[in-house]
Amino acid sequence: MKFNKYALFFLLFSAFSLNAQVIQQLKPISEYPPELLRTDEFGNKYYYDEIQKARVYEINGENVVIMDELVLLNKPRFNNSLDQNYYYFLNKKLYRVYPLFLTALEQYRDIQKDMQDLDKPSKRKFVNEKQKELASQYELQLRDLTTTEGRVFAKLMYRATGKNVYEIIRELRGGWSAFWWNVKGNIADVSIKDPYDPHADRTDQFIESLLQSNWNAGYLTPYPGYRDFKVQK
């Protein structure tokens, strides 16, 4: 028990020291170009540091730094060395898939926005044209994904949208197209109907832990709305 208390104290002290170093490295707000400054809900100007996840204000000539809230998750308990190796294996796959996921999520949200005021025939035509455009840009990258990377990609899309890949395809292309995409996914051992549930699925638990730790460390850029997903039992 004493060891746990001392370890916790050490971690808290280390975190405070690291945060202090980060704060010292941030420049005064007056040194940032005006076009990079933002305005908060109270009308105060600040600079947002994406890497440090912090707002930099200038009050009475002094820097005031407000760090973003961090979501801290315990690293999953590994049952054995194979379990631990799988965790770090997933981290490598996450790094490879994440940029493609960000692009896919942005495209999906743009398509949703553009389709809002279109009638059914116009929507079908728009989606067909968009599909050809995206296929020419990303088909080779998607084909090059391994089975594990395909699974991670599908899980990330569910986390961000609340829909599995099957539902997204059905929404954009219709039920028949979604059926065939599911068949293709199952052939490659990737089920595009699976939900994302970190409490029920061991792989999802690993992915959630890796996402939070990589976002907190600044290794991966959070997508817009990443905090909307709540890990609930």
Side-chain angles (χ1 to χ4, degrees):
M1 183 65 100
K2 288 184 178 179
F3 173 80
N4 290 336
K5 288 183 178 178
Y6 287 132
L8 180 59
F9 176 80
F10 175 79
L11 288 174
L12 289 174
F13 180 80
S14 300
F16 177 81
S17 299
L18 288 173
N19 282 340
Q21 292 175 10
V22 168
I23 291 173
Q24 290 174 2
Q25 292 171 359
L26 293 173
K27 298 185 298 185
I29 190 174
S30 56
E31 295 185 18
Y32 293 102
E35 61 270 17
L36 296 182
L37 300 182
R38 305 182 187 180
T39 304
D40 65 15
E41 60 271 26
F42 303 106
N44 300 311
K45 294 286 185 181
Y46 69 93
Y47 172 77
Y48 185 75
D49 190 292
E50 294 283 354
I51 297 177
Q52 310 293 354
K53 305 292 186 299
R55 294 186 180 191
V56 183
Y57 291 87
E58 189 171 329
I59 300 177
N60 296 329
E62 295 185 4
N63 265 13
V64 175
V65 180
I66 301 177
M67 307 295 292
D68 280 0
E69 177 184 359
L70 298 180
V71 178
L72 300 178
L73 294 179
N74 290 329
K75 185 178 291 186
R77 181 176 297 174
F78 303 121
N79 298 323
N80 48 51
S81 60
L82 289 177
D83 214 23
Q84 185 176 17
N85 290 339
Y86 180 58
Y87 180 82
Y88 293 112
F89 169 75
L90 277 177
N91 194 43
K92 292 180 180 179
K93 298 302 181 181
L94 178 62
Y95 277 17
R96 182 159 189 244
V97 168
Y98 198 79
L100 186 61
F101 153 72
L102 289 180
T103 300
L105 179 62
E106 182 181 9
Q107 293 287 353
Y108 171 65
R109 288 175 171 173
D110 287 345
I111 289 173
Q112 277 189 313
K113 190 183 302 181
D114 293 339
M115 287 174 56
Q116 284 181 351
D117 299 324
L118 298 179
D119 56 27
K120 197 169 183 178
S122 299
K123 284 182 180 179
R124 187 178 294 111
K125 181 181 178 182
F126 174 77
V127 170
N128 285 337
E129 293 174 351
K130 201 68 177 178
Q131 183 187 27
K132 292 177 183 178
E133 175 188 334
L134 296 177
S136 63
Q137 294 180 38
Y138 304 109
E139 185 175 6
L140 291 178
Q141 295 181 54
L142 290 170
R143 284 185 178 183
D144 195 38
L145 292 180
T146 65
T147 298
T148 302
E149 289 164 353
R151 289 174 180 168
V152 172
F153 178 85
K155 296 292 187 176
L156 292 175
M157 288 300 294
Y158 191 100
R159 189 190 190 285
T161 66
K163 305 171 187 175
N164 59 43
V165 175
Y166 180 88
E167 292 170 328
I168 293 174
I169 296 172
R170 184 176 60 185
E171 175 187 344
L172 299 179
R173 296 284 296 161
W176 184 246
S177 178
F179 167 77
W180 282 110
W181 273 88
N182 190 55
V183 171
K184 292 176 183 179
N186 287 335
I187 292 174
D189 199 24
V190 178
S191 175
I192 60 176
K193 287 186 177 181
D194 286 349
Y196 179 76
D197 188 347
H199 288 288
D201 188 283
R202 184 73 166 161
T203 296
D204 294 358
Q205 181 189 8
F206 284 0
I207 292 174
E208 186 64 28
S209 175
L210 290 167
L211 283 172
Q212 296 297 342
S213 61
N214 279 295
W215 286 334
N216 288 343
Y219 296 140
L220 296 177
T221 303
Y223 60 84
Y226 74 105
R227 289 183 177 175
D228 295 342
F229 179 83
K230 303 299 181 184
V231 181
Q232 298 177 345
K233 293 185 179 180

